[in-house]
Coordinates of all heavy atoms in Angstrom, one line a residue:
M1 N -8.6 -13.7 -10.7 CA -8.6 -12.4 -9.9 C -10.0 -12.0 -9.7 O -10.9 -12.1 -10.6 CB -7.8 -11.4 -10.7 CG -7.6 -10.1 -9.9 SD -6.5 -9.0 -10.8 CE -6.8 -7.5 -9.9
T2 N -10.3 -11.5 -8.5 CA -11.7 -11.0 -8.2 C -12.0 -9.7 -9.0 O -11.1 -8.9 -9.2 CB -11.7 -10.6 -6.7 OG1 -10.7 -11.2 -6.0 CG2 -13.1 -11.1 -6.1
H3 N -13.2 -9.6 -9.4 CA -13.6 -8.4 -10.1 C -13.8 -7.3 -9.0 O -14.3 -7.6 -7.9 CB -14.9 -8.6 -10.8 CG -15.4 -7.4 -11.5 ND1 -14.8 -6.9 -12.6 CD2 -16.4 -6.5 -11.2 CE1 -15.4 -5.7 -13.0 NE2 -16.3 -5.5 -12.1
R4 N -13.4 -6.2 -9.3 CA -13.4 -5.1 -8.4 C -14.0 -3.9 -9.1 O -13.8 -3.7 -10.3 CB -12.0 -4.8 -7.9 CG -11.6 -3.5 -7.5 CD -10.1 -3.2 -7.4 NE -9.3 -4.3 -6.8 CZ -8.0 -4.4 -7.0 NH1 -7.4 -3.5 -7.7 NH2 -7.4 -5.4 -6.5
I5 N -14.8 -3.1 -8.4 CA -15.4 -1.9 -9.0 C -14.2 -1.0 -9.3 O -13.4 -0.7 -8.5 CB -16.4 -1.2 -8.0 CG1 -17.6 -2.1 -7.8 CG2 -16.8 0.2 -8.6 CD1 -18.4 -1.6 -6.6
F6 N -14.2 -0.5 -10.6 CA -13.0 0.2 -11.0 C -12.9 1.6 -10.3 O -13.9 2.3 -10.2 CB -13.1 0.4 -12.5 CG -11.8 1.0 -13.1 CD1 -10.6 0.4 -12.9 CD2 -11.9 2.1 -13.9 CE1 -9.4 0.9 -13.4 CE2 -10.7 2.7 -14.4 CZ -9.5 2.0 -14.2
E7 N -11.7 1.9 -9.9 CA -11.5 3.1 -9.1 C -11.6 4.4 -9.9 O -11.7 5.5 -9.4 CB -10.1 3.0 -8.4 CG -9.0 3.0 -9.4 CD -7.7 2.6 -8.8 OE1 -7.0 3.4 -8.3 OE2 -7.3 1.4 -8.9
G8 N -11.5 4.2 -11.2 CA -11.5 5.4 -12.1 C -10.1 5.6 -12.7 O -9.1 5.3 -12.1
W9 N -10.1 6.1 -13.9 CA -8.8 6.2 -14.6 C -7.9 7.2 -14.0 O -6.7 7.0 -14.0 CB -9.1 6.7 -16.1 CG -9.6 5.5 -16.9 CD1 -10.8 5.4 -17.5 CD2 -8.8 4.4 -17.3 NE1 -10.9 4.2 -18.1 CE2 -9.7 3.6 -18.0 CE3 -7.5 3.9 -17.0 CZ2 -9.3 2.3 -18.5 CZ3 -7.1 2.7 -17.5 CH2 -8.0 1.9 -18.2
H10 N -8.4 8.3 -13.4 CA -7.6 9.3 -12.8 C -6.8 8.6 -11.6 O -5.6 8.7 -11.6 CB -8.4 10.5 -12.3 CG -7.5 11.5 -11.6 ND1 -6.7 12.3 -12.4 CD2 -7.4 11.8 -10.3 CE1 -6.1 13.1 -11.5 NE2 -6.4 12.9 -10.3
S11 N -7.5 8.0 -10.7 CA -6.9 7.3 -9.6 C -6.0 6.2 -10.0 O -4.8 6.1 -9.5 CB -8.0 6.8 -8.6 OG -7.4 6.0 -7.7
H12 N -6.4 5.4 -11.0 CA -5.6 4.3 -11.4 C -4.3 4.7 -12.1 O -3.3 4.2 -11.8 CB -6.5 3.4 -12.4 CG -5.8 2.1 -12.8 ND1 -5.5 1.1 -11.9 CD2 -5.2 1.8 -14.0 CE1 -4.9 0.1 -12.5 NE2 -4.7 0.5 -13.8
G13 N -4.5 5.7 -13.0 CA -3.3 6.2 -13.7 C -2.3 6.8 -12.8 O -1.1 6.5 -12.9
R14 N -2.7 7.5 -11.8 CA -1.8 8.1 -10.8 C -1.1 7.0 -10.0 O 0.1 7.0 -9.8 CB -2.6 9.0 -9.8 CG -1.8 9.7 -8.8 CD -2.6 10.5 -7.8 NE -3.7 9.8 -7.2 CZ -3.4 9.0 -6.1 NH1 -2.3 8.9 -5.6 NH2 -4.4 8.3 -5.6
R15 N -1.8 5.9 -9.6 CA -1.1 4.9 -8.8 C -0.2 4.1 -9.7 O 0.9 3.7 -9.2 CB -2.2 3.9 -8.2 CG -3.0 4.6 -7.1 CD -3.7 3.6 -6.3 NE -4.5 2.7 -7.1 CZ -4.4 1.4 -7.1 NH1 -3.6 0.8 -6.3 NH2 -5.2 0.6 -7.8
V16 N -0.5 3.8 -11.0 CA 0.4 3.1 -11.9 C 1.7 3.9 -12.0 O 2.8 3.4 -11.9 CB -0.3 2.8 -13.2 CG1 0.8 2.3 -14.2 CG2 -1.4 1.8 -13.1
A17 N 1.5 5.3 -12.2 CA 2.7 6.1 -12.5 C 3.6 6.1 -11.2 O 4.8 6.0 -11.3 CB 2.2 7.5 -12.8
V18 N 3.0 6.2 -10.0 CA 3.8 6.3 -8.8 C 4.4 4.9 -8.6 O 5.6 4.8 -8.3 CB 2.9 6.6 -7.6 CG1 3.6 6.4 -6.3 CG2 2.3 8.0 -7.7
A19 N 3.7 3.8 -8.7 CA 4.3 2.5 -8.5 C 5.4 2.2 -9.5 O 6.4 1.7 -9.1 CB 3.2 1.4 -8.7
T20 N 5.3 2.6 -10.7 CA 6.3 2.4 -11.7 C 7.6 3.2 -11.3 O 8.7 2.7 -11.4 CB 5.8 2.8 -13.1 OG1 4.6 2.1 -13.4 CG2 6.8 2.4 -14.2
K21 N 7.3 4.4 -10.8 CA 8.4 5.3 -10.5 C 9.2 4.7 -9.3 O 10.5 4.8 -9.3 CB 7.9 6.7 -10.1 CG 9.0 7.8 -10.2 CD 8.3 9.1 -10.2 CE 7.9 9.5 -8.7 NZ 7.2 10.8 -8.7
V22 N 8.6 4.1 -8.4 CA 9.3 3.5 -7.2 C 9.6 2.0 -7.5 O 9.9 1.3 -6.6 CB 8.5 3.6 -5.9 CG1 8.4 5.1 -5.5 CG2 7.1 3.0 -6.0
S23 N 9.6 1.7 -8.8 CA 10.1 0.4 -9.4 C 9.3 -0.8 -8.9 O 9.9 -1.9 -8.8 CB 11.6 0.2 -9.1 OG 11.8 -0.2 -7.8
N24 N 8.0 -0.7 -8.6 CA 7.2 -1.9 -8.3 C 5.8 -1.7 -8.9 O 4.9 -1.4 -8.2 CB 7.2 -2.2 -6.8 CG 6.8 -3.6 -6.5 OD1 6.1 -4.2 -7.4 ND2 7.1 -4.1 -5.4
A25 N 5.8 -1.9 -10.2 CA 4.5 -1.7 -10.9 C 3.4 -2.7 -10.4 O 2.2 -2.4 -10.5 CB 4.7 -1.9 -12.4
D26 N 3.8 -3.8 -9.8 CA 2.8 -4.7 -9.2 C 1.9 -4.1 -8.2 O 0.8 -4.5 -8.0 CB 3.5 -5.9 -8.6 CG 4.1 -6.9 -9.6 OD1 3.7 -6.7 -10.8 OD2 4.8 -7.7 -9.2
W27 N 2.5 -3.1 -7.5 CA 1.7 -2.4 -6.4 C 0.4 -1.8 -7.0 O -0.6 -1.7 -6.3 CB 2.5 -1.3 -5.7 CG 3.6 -1.9 -4.9 CD1 3.8 -3.2 -4.5 CD2 4.7 -1.2 -4.2 NE1 4.9 -3.3 -3.7 CE2 5.4 -2.1 -3.5 CE3 5.0 0.2 -4.2 CZ2 6.6 -1.7 -2.8 CZ3 6.1 0.6 -3.5 CH2 6.9 -0.4 -2.8
A28 N 0.5 -1.4 -8.2 CA -0.7 -0.7 -8.8 C -1.9 -1.7 -8.9 O -3.0 -1.3 -9.1 CB -0.4 -0.2 -10.2
R29 N -1.6 -3.0 -8.9 CA -2.6 -4.0 -8.9 C -3.3 -4.3 -7.6 O -4.3 -4.9 -7.5 CB -2.1 -5.4 -9.5 CG -1.8 -5.3 -11.0 CD -1.8 -6.7 -11.6 NE -0.6 -7.4 -11.3 CZ 0.5 -7.3 -12.1 NH1 0.5 -6.6 -13.2 NH2 1.6 -8.0 -11.8
L30 N -2.7 -3.7 -6.5 CA -3.3 -3.8 -5.2 C -4.6 -3.0 -5.1 O -4.7 -2.0 -5.9 CB -2.3 -3.4 -4.1 CG -1.1 -4.3 -3.9 CD1 -0.1 -3.6 -3.0 CD2 -1.6 -5.6 -3.2
P31 N -5.5 -3.2 -4.2 CA -6.7 -2.3 -4.1 C -6.2 -0.9 -3.8 O -5.1 -0.7 -3.2 CB -7.4 -2.9 -2.9 CG -6.9 -4.4 -2.8 CD -5.5 -4.4 -3.3
H32 N -7.0 0.1 -4.2 CA -6.6 1.5 -4.0 C -7.0 2.0 -2.6 O -6.6 3.1 -2.2 CB -7.2 2.4 -5.1 CG -8.7 2.5 -5.0 ND1 -9.5 1.4 -5.4 CD2 -9.5 3.5 -4.7 CE1 -10.7 1.8 -5.3 NE2 -10.8 3.0 -4.8
C33 N -7.9 1.2 -1.9 CA -8.2 1.7 -0.5 C -8.6 0.5 0.4 O -8.7 -0.6 -0.1 CB -9.4 2.7 -0.6 SG -10.9 1.9 -1.1
R34 N -8.6 0.7 1.7 CA -8.7 -0.3 2.6 C -10.1 -1.1 2.5 O -10.1 -2.3 2.7 CB -8.6 0.3 4.0 CG -8.5 -0.7 5.1 CD -8.1 0.0 6.4 NE -8.2 -1.0 7.5 CZ -9.3 -1.2 8.3 NH1 -10.4 -0.5 8.0 NH2 -9.3 -2.1 9.2
S35 N -11.1 -0.3 2.2 CA -12.4 -1.0 2.2 C -12.5 -2.0 1.0 O -13.0 -3.1 1.2 CB -13.6 0.0 2.0 OG -13.4 0.8 0.9
V36 N -11.8 -1.7 -0.1 CA -11.8 -2.6 -1.2 C -10.9 -3.8 -0.9 O -11.3 -5.0 -1.1 CB -11.2 -1.9 -2.5 CG1 -11.0 -2.9 -3.6 CG2 -12.2 -0.8 -3.0
M37 N -9.8 -3.6 -0.2 CA -8.9 -4.6 0.3 C -9.7 -5.6 1.2 O -9.6 -6.8 1.0 CB -7.7 -4.1 1.0 CG -6.8 -5.1 1.6 SD -5.7 -4.4 2.9 CE -6.9 -4.4 4.3
L38 N -10.4 -5.1 2.1 CA -11.2 -5.9 3.1 C -12.3 -6.7 2.3 O -12.5 -7.9 2.6 CB -11.8 -5.1 4.1 CG -10.8 -4.4 5.1 CD1 -11.6 -3.5 6.1 CD2 -10.1 -5.5 5.9
A39 N -12.9 -6.1 1.3 CA -13.9 -6.7 0.5 C -13.4 -7.9 -0.2 O -14.0 -8.9 -0.4 CB -14.6 -5.8 -0.4
E40 N -12.1 -7.8 -0.6 CA -11.4 -8.9 -1.4 C -10.7 -9.9 -0.5 O -10.2 -10.8 -0.9 CB -10.4 -8.3 -2.4 CG -11.1 -7.4 -3.4 CD -10.1 -6.9 -4.4 OE1 -8.9 -7.1 -4.3 OE2 -10.5 -6.1 -5.3
G41 N -10.7 -9.5 0.8 CA -10.0 -10.4 1.8 C -8.5 -10.3 1.7 O -7.8 -11.3 2.1
G42 N -7.9 -9.2 1.1 CA -6.5 -9.1 1.0 C -5.9 -8.5 2.2 O -6.5 -8.2 3.2
K43 N -4.5 -8.4 2.2 CA -3.8 -7.9 3.4 C -3.1 -6.6 3.1 O -2.6 -6.0 4.0 CB -2.7 -8.9 3.7 CG -3.2 -10.2 4.2 CD -3.6 -10.1 5.7 CE -4.1 -11.5 6.2 NZ -5.0 -11.3 7.4
L44 N -3.1 -6.1 1.9 CA -2.3 -4.9 1.5 C -3.2 -4.1 0.5 O -3.9 -4.6 -0.3 CB -1.0 -5.2 0.9 CG 0.1 -5.9 1.7 CD1 1.3 -6.2 0.8 CD2 0.6 -4.9 2.8
F45 N -3.0 -2.8 0.6 CA -3.5 -1.9 -0.4 C -2.5 -0.8 -0.7 O -1.6 -0.6 0.1 CB -4.9 -1.3 0.0 CG -4.9 -0.4 1.2 CD1 -5.0 1.0 1.0 CD2 -4.9 -0.9 2.5 CE1 -5.0 1.8 2.1 CE2 -4.9 -0.1 3.6 CZ -4.9 1.3 3.4
F46 N -2.7 -0.1 -1.8 CA -1.7 0.9 -2.2 C -2.4 2.1 -2.7 O -3.1 2.1 -3.7 CB -0.9 0.3 -3.4 CG 0.2 1.2 -3.9 CD1 1.2 1.6 -3.1 CD2 0.1 1.7 -5.2 CE1 2.2 2.5 -3.6 CE2 1.1 2.5 -5.7 CZ 2.2 2.9 -4.9
T47 N -2.2 3.2 -2.0 CA -2.8 4.5 -2.3 C -2.0 5.3 -3.3 O -2.6 6.2 -3.9 CB -3.0 5.3 -1.0 OG1 -1.7 5.7 -0.5 CG2 -3.8 4.6 0.1
G48 N -0.7 5.0 -3.4 CA 0.1 5.8 -4.3 C 0.6 7.1 -3.6 O 1.3 7.9 -4.2
K49 N 0.2 7.3 -2.3 CA 0.6 8.5 -1.6 C 1.6 8.2 -0.6 O 1.7 7.1 0.0 CB -0.7 9.1 -0.9 CG -1.7 9.7 -1.8 CD -2.9 10.2 -1.1 CE -4.0 10.5 -2.1 NZ -5.4 10.4 -1.5
A50 N 2.5 9.2 -0.3 CA 3.5 9.0 0.7 C 3.0 8.9 2.1 O 2.0 9.6 2.4 CB 4.6 10.0 0.6
C51 N 3.6 8.2 3.0 CA 3.2 8.2 4.4 C 3.8 9.4 5.1 O 4.5 10.2 4.4 CB 3.7 6.9 5.1 SG 5.4 6.9 5.4
K52 N 3.6 9.5 6.4 CA 4.1 10.7 7.1 C 5.6 10.7 7.1 O 6.2 11.8 7.3 CB 3.5 10.8 8.5 CG 3.7 9.7 9.4 CD 3.1 10.0 10.8 CE 3.3 8.9 11.8 NZ 2.4 7.8 11.7
R53 N 6.3 9.6 6.9 CA 7.7 9.6 6.8 C 8.2 9.7 5.4 O 9.4 9.5 5.2 CB 8.3 8.4 7.5 CG 8.1 8.3 9.0 CD 9.1 7.4 9.7 NE 8.5 6.8 10.9 CZ 9.2 6.0 11.7 NH1 10.5 5.8 11.4 NH2 8.7 5.5 12.7
G54 N 7.3 9.8 4.4 CA 7.7 9.9 3.1 C 7.9 8.6 2.3 O 8.4 8.7 1.2
H55 N 7.5 7.5 2.8 CA 7.6 6.2 2.1 C 6.4 6.1 1.1 O 5.3 6.4 1.6 CB 7.5 5.0 3.0 CG 8.5 5.0 4.1 ND1 8.2 4.9 5.4 CD2 9.9 5.1 4.1 CE1 9.3 4.9 6.2 NE2 10.3 5.1 5.4
V56 N 6.7 5.7 -0.1 CA 5.6 5.4 -1.0 C 5.6 3.9 -1.1 O 6.4 3.3 -1.8 CB 5.8 6.0 -2.4 CG1 4.6 5.6 -3.3 CG2 5.8 7.5 -2.2
S57 N 4.7 3.2 -0.3 CA 4.7 1.8 -0.3 C 3.3 1.3 0.1 O 2.5 2.1 0.6 CB 5.7 1.2 0.7 OG 5.5 1.7 2.0
P58 N 3.0 0.0 0.0 CA 1.6 -0.4 0.3 C 1.4 -0.3 1.8 O 2.3 -0.2 2.6 CB 1.7 -1.9 -0.1 CG 2.7 -2.0 -1.1 CD 3.8 -1.0 -0.7
R59 N 0.1 -0.2 2.1 CA -0.4 -0.2 3.5 C -0.9 -1.5 3.9 O -1.5 -2.2 3.1 CB -1.5 0.9 3.7 CG -1.1 2.2 3.0 CD -0.4 3.1 4.0 NE 0.0 4.3 3.3 CZ -0.1 5.5 3.9 NH1 -0.7 5.6 5.0 NH2 0.3 6.6 3.3
N60 N -0.9 -1.8 5.2 CA -1.4 -3.1 5.7 C -2.9 -2.9 6.2 O -3.4 -1.8 6.0 CB -0.5 -3.7 6.8 CG -0.5 -2.8 8.0 OD1 -1.3 -2.0 8.2 ND2 0.5 -3.1 8.9
E61 N -3.4 -3.9 6.8 CA -4.9 -3.8 7.2 C -5.1 -2.8 8.2 O -6.3 -2.4 8.4 CB -5.4 -5.2 7.6 CG -4.8 -5.8 8.9 CD -3.6 -6.7 8.7 OE1 -2.7 -6.3 7.8 OE2 -3.5 -7.7 9.4
H62 N -4.1 -2.3 8.9 CA -4.3 -1.2 9.9 C -4.1 0.1 9.3 O -4.2 1.2 9.9 CB -3.3 -1.4 11.1 CG -3.3 -2.7 11.7 ND1 -4.4 -3.2 12.4 CD2 -2.4 -3.7 11.7 CE1 -4.1 -4.4 12.8 NE2 -2.9 -4.8 12.4
G63 N -3.8 0.1 8.0 CA -3.6 1.4 7.3 C -2.2 1.9 7.5 O -1.9 3.1 7.2
D64 N -1.3 1.1 8.1 CA 0.1 1.5 8.4 C 0.9 1.2 7.1 O 0.8 0.2 6.5 CB 0.7 0.6 9.5 CG 0.1 1.0 10.9 OD1 -0.3 2.2 11.0 OD2 0.1 0.2 11.8
C65 N 1.8 2.1 6.9 CA 2.8 2.0 5.8 C 3.7 0.8 6.1 O 4.2 0.6 7.2 CB 3.6 3.3 5.7 SG 5.2 3.1 5.0
T66 N 3.9 -0.1 5.1 CA 4.7 -1.3 5.4 C 6.2 -1.0 5.6 O 6.8 -1.7 6.4 CB 4.6 -2.3 4.2 OG1 4.8 -1.6 3.0 CG2 3.2 -2.9 4.2
Q67 N 6.7 0.1 5.1 CA 8.1 0.5 5.3 C 8.2 0.9 6.8 O 9.2 0.5 7.5 CB 8.5 1.6 4.4 CG 8.6 1.3 3.0 CD 9.8 0.5 2.6 OE1 10.8 0.6 3.3 NE2 9.7 -0.3 1.6
C68 N 7.3 1.7 7.3 CA 7.3 2.2 8.7 C 7.2 1.0 9.6 O 7.8 0.9 10.6 CB 6.2 3.1 8.9 SG 6.4 4.8 8.2
H69 N 6.3 0.0 9.2 CA 6.1 -1.2 10.0 C 7.4 -1.9 10.1 O 7.8 -2.3 11.2 CB 5.0 -2.0 9.3 CG 4.6 -3.2 10.1 ND1 3.9 -3.1 11.2 CD2 4.8 -4.5 9.8 CE1 3.7 -4.4 11.7 NE2 4.3 -5.2 10.9
L70 N 8.1 -2.1 9.0 CA 9.4 -2.8 9.1 C 10.4 -2.1 9.9 O 11.2 -2.6 10.7 CB 10.0 -3.0 7.6 CG 9.2 -4.0 6.8 CD1 9.8 -4.0 5.3 CD2 9.3 -5.4 7.3
M71 N 10.4 -0.7 9.8 CA 11.3 0.1 10.6 C 11.0 -0.1 12.1 O 12.0 -0.2 12.9 CB 11.2 1.6 10.2 CG 11.9 1.9 8.9 SD 11.6 3.6 8.4 CE 12.3 4.6 9.8
R72 N 9.7 -0.1 12.4 CA 9.4 -0.3 13.8 C 9.8 -1.6 14.3 O 10.3 -1.7 15.4 CB 7.9 -0.1 14.0 CG 7.4 1.4 14.1 CD 6.1 1.5 14.8 NE 5.1 0.8 14.0 CZ 4.4 1.3 13.0 NH1 4.6 2.6 12.6 NH2 3.5 0.6 12.4
L73 N 9.6 -2.7 13.5 CA 10.1 -4.0 13.9 C 11.6 -4.0 14.2 O 12.1 -4.6 15.1 CB 9.7 -5.0 12.8 CG 8.2 -5.4 12.7 CD1 8.1 -6.4 11.6 CD2 7.7 -5.9 14.0
A74 N 12.3 -3.4 13.3 CA 13.8 -3.3 13.4 C 14.2 -2.6 14.7 O 15.1 -3.0 15.4 CB 14.4 -2.7 12.2
E75 N 13.5 -1.4 14.9 CA 13.8 -0.7 16.1 C 13.5 -1.5 17.4 O 14.3 -1.4 18.3 CB 12.9 0.6 16.2 CG 13.5 1.7 15.3 CD 12.4 2.8 15.0 OE1 11.4 2.8 15.7 OE2 12.6 3.6 14.1
R76 N 12.4 -2.2 17.4 CA 12.1 -3.0 18.5 C 13.1 -4.1 18.7 O 13.5 -4.4 19.8 CB 10.7 -3.6 18.3 CG 10.0 -3.9 19.6 CD 8.6 -4.4 19.3 NE 7.8 -3.4 18.5 CZ 6.7 -3.8 17.8 NH1 6.2 -5.0 17.8 NH2 6.1 -2.9 17.1
R77 N 13.6 -4.7 17.6 CA 14.6 -5.8 17.7 C 15.9 -5.2 18.2 O 16.5 -5.8 19.1 CB 14.8 -6.4 16.3 CG 15.5 -7.7 16.3 CD 15.7 -8.2 14.9 NE 16.4 -7.2 14.1 CZ 16.0 -6.9 12.8 NH1 15.1 -7.5 12.2 NH2 16.7 -6.0 12.2
D78 N 16.3 -4.0 17.8 CA 17.5 -3.4 18.2 C 17.5 -3.0 19.7 O 18.5 -2.8 20.3 CB 17.8 -2.2 17.3 CG 18.2 -2.6 15.9 OD1 18.4 -3.8 15.7 OD2 18.2 -1.7 15.0
A79 N 16.3 -2.8 20.2 CA 16.2 -2.3 21.6 C 16.5 -3.4 22.6 O 16.8 -3.1 23.7 CB 14.8 -1.8 21.8
F80 N 16.4 -4.7 22.1 CA 16.7 -5.8 23.0 C 18.2 -6.0 23.1 O 19.0 -5.7 22.2 CB 16.1 -7.1 22.5 CG 14.6 -7.1 22.8 CD1 13.7 -7.0 21.8 CD2 14.1 -7.0 24.1 CE1 12.3 -7.0 22.1 CE2 12.7 -7.0 24.4 CZ 11.8 -7.0 23.4
Ligands
ZN1 ZN1 6.3 4.9 6.0

């Protein structure tokens, strides 16, 4: 695993707590912001904050919530 500048206990603890609550503690191991994700060459990051639709899930390289992304894909598929 790549070494990453530690985000700080406050931020880390909050993300671990949120990730555990939504039953995916692995998310807490994702970068906490997009710039760190890009520096590591990853595809996802996890802020621990809800998106505008209330999903607490990782964000992709565009900063989009992955749940919203899946919903949009499903909507597009259903439109055909
Ligand atoms: Zn969302």
Side-chain angles (χ1 to χ4, degrees):
M1 189 172 162
T2 342
H3 180 73
R4 153 194 317 164
I5 296 168
F6 190 55
E7 63 195 276
W9 283 113
H10 180 73
S11 168
H12 185 69
R14 183 180 55 80
R15 290 195 309 122
V16 170
V18 172
T20 307
K21 203 167 74 186
V22 295
S23 81
N24 199 336
D26 286 348
W27 289 349
R29 286 202 284 269
L30 291 167
H32 66 287
C33 69
R34 188 169 175 272
S35 57
V36 174
M37 176 198 80
L38 292 174
E40 295 181 1
K43 294 280 183 203
L44 291 174
F45 65 102
F46 180 65
T47 63
K49 291 174 191 155
C51 76
K52 58 177 184 277
R53 293 203 210 184
H55 306 126
V56 179
S57 60
R59 311 274 175 132
N60 65 18
E61 67 266 41
H62 306 294
D64 287 333
C65 158
T66 48
Q67 293 284 334
C68 287
H69 186 69
L70 290 173
M71 280 174 65
R72 278 200 300 274
L73 288 180
E75 280 164 15
R76 208 174 304 161
R77 196 180 56 220
D78 291 346
F80 284 114

